[in-house]
Amino acid sequence: MEDETTNKKLKTKNKKIILPLIIQKQILKLLCQEYEIISEYYRNGFTNKIKNYFFVSWNWFKYSQKIYNQLIPHVYNNNNNNNNNNNNNNNNNNNNNNNNNNNNNNNNNNNNNNNNNNNNNNNNSSYKFKLVHNDLIKTIIIDYFDINNESINYINSLKSLETVNVECLYGNQYSLKNSIWVLTYLNKLNNKDLIINFELDLDSFEPHEPTDLEHIEKEEFKFKTNLCKVIYDFENETTYGYVYEMIKELNPKYLKFKSNGSKDQGRSHLQQYHSISKLNQNYEGVKIIYDYIPLYALYRFLQSPNLHTLKFGLQFHFLSSIYDNQIKNNNNNNNNSNCIDCDRLNKYKTELDFNEMDNFKFIDFGTDYYDDEGIGFKVHDDIKFYIDNGINEDNQIYCSFSDQEDSCLSIPPYSMSLWNQCLKLLSTNSTITNLSITHNCGSSRECRWDENSLYNENFLNDFMNSLANNKTIKTLTLDFGFDNEYEKINLNLIYKSIVSMLDQNSKLESIFINPISQLSEISNLTKNRKCKIFSLEL
């Protein structure tokens, strides 16, 4: 009796328990969960890890293969299409050989048929064991200059494709100038619901245009652009005016700009943000990293009807100086009741309609627009000049941003009025839920204002009051720079204004702040217990 019980236990112990397929699939998903948001850096690690699951079972291989093709973008090259053609040709050759053998000898024909069937089965079997499977690919990456009839035909053959990423795979050795017509090929995509993204890496130092491009006539783009990401260096031999033209034609939902630079020269600045901001009807998200925008660009971005995410830099030195300049003008006005400039400004103040004053045609600003003193943006003291000629702030600069430009420490007479309009829009905006603002006065030959001057307290109060009155922003980032760039009195002014803003804003859910030296003090002083306060990770 005891032996029989022992045998039953052994059988139970050695019995294989097979989990339901749905549970196996969920386990594999959990094992790969950390790679759901995957970057190129982790691509090799993910590939090596998922290979470990291939040989568990056939089901695990199929699930692994599917997950891999969902998460890892497939990079297009000319061999993709050639391999498909070769496979088709091989099949055709096999069929032709079989037909010839039929005519020669029935017995040989049967043998050949069997051999060919075995070969085809082997080919099919080897194909289904490949990690990359055309029927499962979700995302494909293609170089900008590889867009042609051949690549479009290949893309159209991918049954499960959802996203096409157009990038500069060959670095920035090729210039994109005068090449926007290449994108017309994308009109031939069969699936009009494909997500089209662009990631362009620009360099104006001796790029050359490819000479082997097939030319087609430019026509209206029929595809929909989701994201346009632009990484740019200094404008030198080639200017970046074509970026504006591309954005105008592509009409993307999301924009992301990132300024490149070096320790020797500082950050590069894109001289077209005012023009880009006017193309604002379709924007849902705009991120500008390591660069600043002029006030007029802020004014236009804040008018975007669908915008929910906005990240950008401002020159707080300029904004604070506007207030200092106003105090100076008021003092002059008090000392001289016959102040001609003040009277002229007051006369035209009611005539400043900023919705009408920037109806300019786009200009590709480059080194030719700088005078002998290195100044490109010229300020006119007479407000009537701007009323008569309009305002273009594409190349506006206050303090130097890099070694390639000098400061223009002059304030246009309309700036305070324009800033006040920006504050009103910031206060009443009803679409933006994620806002990030960074103080950005360059990194190389900067004006050193942060260390040697005080923030104007009225500027900080007005700025924070507009944020306090906003009812839709859920996440706010305020980056004033590093602790060691400020005198203690400046830090106290900044934190005092932030505390005041938090006390008045009941809608804000989280705020990220830099500098962080008095972060705990803000938490202790504010009455707001709803909003979570974080240090900004740089």
Side-chain angles (χ1 to χ4, degrees):
M1 186 70 180
E2 185 176 347
D3 291 340
E4 186 178 344
T5 304
T6 303
N7 289 335
K8 285 184 177 180
K9 288 183 178 179
L10 288 173
K11 287 181 179 179
T12 304
K13 184 177 180 181
N14 294 329
K15 185 178 180 180
K16 294 181 180 180
I17 300 175
I18 300 177
L19 296 174
L21 293 180
I22 190 172
I23 295 180
Q24 294 183 43
K25 188 175 182 179
Q26 189 62 31
I27 291 173
L28 188 56
K29 279 187 175 182
L30 291 173
L31 289 171
C32 299
Q33 192 173 36
E34 62 181 299
Y35 296 98
E36 283 187 5
I37 303 175
I38 197 162
S39 64
E40 186 175 356
Y41 179 79
Y42 291 106
R43 205 168 285 170
N44 291 334
F46 176 72
T47 302
N48 293 331
K49 182 173 181 177
I50 203 169
K51 283 180 180 178
N52 296 327
Y53 311 137
F54 287 171
F55 306 106
V56 174
S57 69
W58 175 241
N59 286 323
W60 275 55
F61 172 80
K62 289 193 296 183
Y63 294 148
S64 299
Q65 186 187 49
K66 186 175 181 180
I67 290 174
Y68 182 86
N69 284 275
Q70 285 178 341
L71 296 183
I72 298 292
H74 176 56
V75 180
Y76 172 83
N77 59 66
N78 292 331
N79 292 329
N80 297 137
N81 199 43
N82 291 336
N83 288 337
N84 287 341
N85 291 333
N86 289 336
N87 288 334
N88 292 331
N89 290 333
N90 289 334
N91 290 333
N92 291 332
N93 289 333
N94 286 334
N95 290 331
N96 291 331
N97 289 333
N98 289 338
N99 291 332
N100 291 332
N101 288 333
N102 275 328
N103 294 329
N104 293 329
N105 188 297
N106 288 334
N107 291 331
N108 288 338
N109 172 59
N110 290 333
N111 290 333
N112 286 335
N113 277 338
N114 290 334
N115 290 333
N116 284 326
N117 286 336
N118 289 333
N119 289 335
N120 288 335
N121 288 334
N122 290 334
N123 288 336
N124 291 333
S125 296
S126 63
Y127 180 71
K128 69 180 181 180
F129 284 115
K130 287 184 178 180
L131 187 57
V132 177
H133 195 293
N134 282 356
D135 292 343
L136 300 175
I137 294 172
K138 296 291 185 181
T139 301
I140 189 167
I141 298 175
I142 183 170
D143 183 77
Y144 185 97
F145 291 107
D146 278 342
I147 299 176
N148 51 40
N149 283 325
E150 184 179 356
S151 60
I152 295 300
N153 288 336
Y154 173 74
I155 292 174
N156 282 333
S157 73
L158 305 178
K159 300 176 181 178
S160 300
L161 191 66
E162 296 176 354
T163 304
V164 178
N165 292 335
V166 180
E167 301 182 8
C168 297
L169 295 179
Y170 306 128
N172 44 28
Q173 59 179 310
Y174 294 131
S175 170
L176 305 184
K177 191 172 183 179
N178 300 322
S179 67
I180 189 172
W181 51 266
V182 171
L183 304 180
T184 306
Y185 283 109
L186 295 174
N187 285 343
K188 299 181 180 181
L189 291 172
N190 293 334
N191 185 355
K192 302 305 179 184
D193 293 326
L194 284 175
I195 298 172
I196 313 292
N197 299 320
F198 292 85
E199 183 172 336
L200 309 177
D201 189 0
L202 310 182
D203 189 344
S204 67
F205 290 90
E206 298 182 359
H208 59 275
E209 297 183 29
T211 57
D212 56 346
L213 295 178
E214 179 185 351
H215 181 74
I216 60 174
E217 292 297 325
K218 179 182 171 183
E219 61 185 48
E220 181 182 356
F221 293 151
K222 299 175 183 177
F223 57 90
K224 297 178 181 178
T225 302
N226 179 60
L227 168 67
C228 186
K229 179 180 177 181
V230 181
I231 302 172
Y232 52 92
D233 209 329
F234 293 101
E235 292 179 291
N236 187 24
E237 297 181 14
T238 302
T239 55
Y240 297 144
Y242 57 84
V243 173
Y244 165 78
E245 298 295 339
M246 290 182 68
I247 292 172
K248 182 180 177 182
E249 297 293 335
L250 293 173
N251 194 25
K253 286 185 179 180
Y254 297 92
L255 286 177
K256 186 174 182 180
F257 295 94
K258 185 177 180 181
S259 169
N260 230 338
S262 64
K263 293 181 180 179
D264 296 332
Q265 295 178 309
R267 290 285 174 185
S268 50
H269 172 58
L270 195 63
Q271 301 181 92
Q272 50 189 274
Y273 282 124
H274 185 181
S275 291
I276 290 172
S277 68
K278 292 166 61 180
L279 308 173
N280 61 7
Q281 293 303 302
N282 200 41
Y283 298 153
E284 294 185 19
V286 176
K287 293 184 179 181
I288 298 168
I289 303 171
Y290 304 137
D291 205 349
Y292 71 93
I293 62 174
L295 277 187
Y296 227 131
L298 175 60
Y299 177 77
R300 288 303 187 184
F301 279 133
L302 290 173
Q303 291 178 322
S304 304
N306 304 306
L307 194 66
H308 57 73
T309 299
L310 180 58
K311 176 184 176 71
F312 61 96
L314 288 174
Q315 293 192 327
F316 286 173
H317 180 187
F318 172 64
L319 295 174
S320 191
S321 297
I322 291 176
Y323 286 80
D324 294 338
N325 190 59
Q326 186 183 46
I327 293 173
K328 180 180 177 181
N329 287 338
N330 288 340
N331 290 336
N332 289 338
N333 194 19
N334 292 332
N335 294 331
N336 183 5
S337 58
N338 295 321
C339 176
I340 297 176
D341 289 338
C342 298
D343 291 340
R344 183 179 293 131
L345 180 60
N346 290 330
K347 175 183 177 182
Y348 292 110
K349 193 171 184 180
T350 57
E351 298 181 31
L352 301 182
D353 184 355
F354 293 109
N355 285 325
E356 301 293 337
M357 295 182 70
D358 63 344
N359 292 326
F360 58 88
K361 290 185 178 180
F362 175 73
I363 299 173
D364 186 3
F365 288 106
T367 55
D368 292 342
Y369 282 87
Y370 288 89
D371 61 19
D372 294 338
E373 298 177 355
I375 298 175
F377 184 77
K378 298 192 177 185
V379 174
H380 299 267
D381 294 331
D382 191 346
I383 187 68
K384 191 174 184 302
F385 173 85
Y386 297 99
I387 293 175
D388 294 340
N389 299 281
I391 301 172
N392 181 352
E393 289 197 337
D394 269 338
N395 66 334
Q396 189 269 343
I397 189 171
Y398 187 70
C399 34
S400 62
F401 197 66
S402 72
D403 281 351
Q404 296 209 342
E405 57 197 9
D406 291 323
S407 297
C408 177
L409 298 176
S410 299
I411 299 172
Y414 60 82
S415 293
M416 178 57 85
S417 296
L418 181 56
W419 172 240
N420 284 332
Q421 292 300 312
C422 290
L423 291 175
K424 288 180 181 178
L425 290 172
L426 189 58
S427 177
T428 59
N429 183 279
S430 60
T431 63
I432 297 174
T433 58
N434 188 341
L435 180 68
S436 177
I437 304 175
T438 300
H439 163 49
N440 204 328
C441 277
S443 59
S444 171
R445 223 170 32 169
E446 64 267 25
C447 54
R448 315 300 292 181
W449 168 76
D450 300 336
E451 297 178 5
N452 304 320
S453 303
L454 294 178
Y455 270 95
N456 185 289
E457 190 169 1
N458 289 331
F459 154 63
L460 289 173
N461 290 338
D462 287 349
F463 182 33
M464 293 302 164
N465 282 337
S466 66
L467 294 172
N469 293 327
N470 185 278
K471 304 301 181 185
T472 58
I473 297 173
K474 303 298 182 185
T475 302
L476 175 65
T477 300
L478 296 174
D479 185 358
F480 288 85
F482 298 100
D483 292 342
N484 59 3
E485 291 182 348
Y486 293 97
E487 297 289 344
K488 187 174 182 180
I489 187 172
N490 265 334
L491 290 174
N492 290 336
L493 287 173
I494 292 171
Y495 288 126
K496 178 183 175 182
S497 64
I498 292 176
V499 169
S500 175
M501 182 270 295
L502 289 174
D503 287 346
Q504 299 175 67
N505 191 317
S506 59
K507 302 296 183 180
L508 201 60
E509 296 177 359
S510 58
I511 183 172
F512 296 82
I513 302 172
N514 187 51
I516 61 175
S517 60
Q518 293 176 310
L519 198 63
S520 59
E521 187 174 338
I522 293 178
S523 300
N524 295 331
L525 290 176
T526 182
K527 301 172 185 176
N528 189 330
R529 293 294 174 256
K530 176 185 176 182
C531 181
K532 296 180 181 180
I533 303 174
F534 301 96
S535 61
L536 180 61
E537 298 293 335
L538 299 177

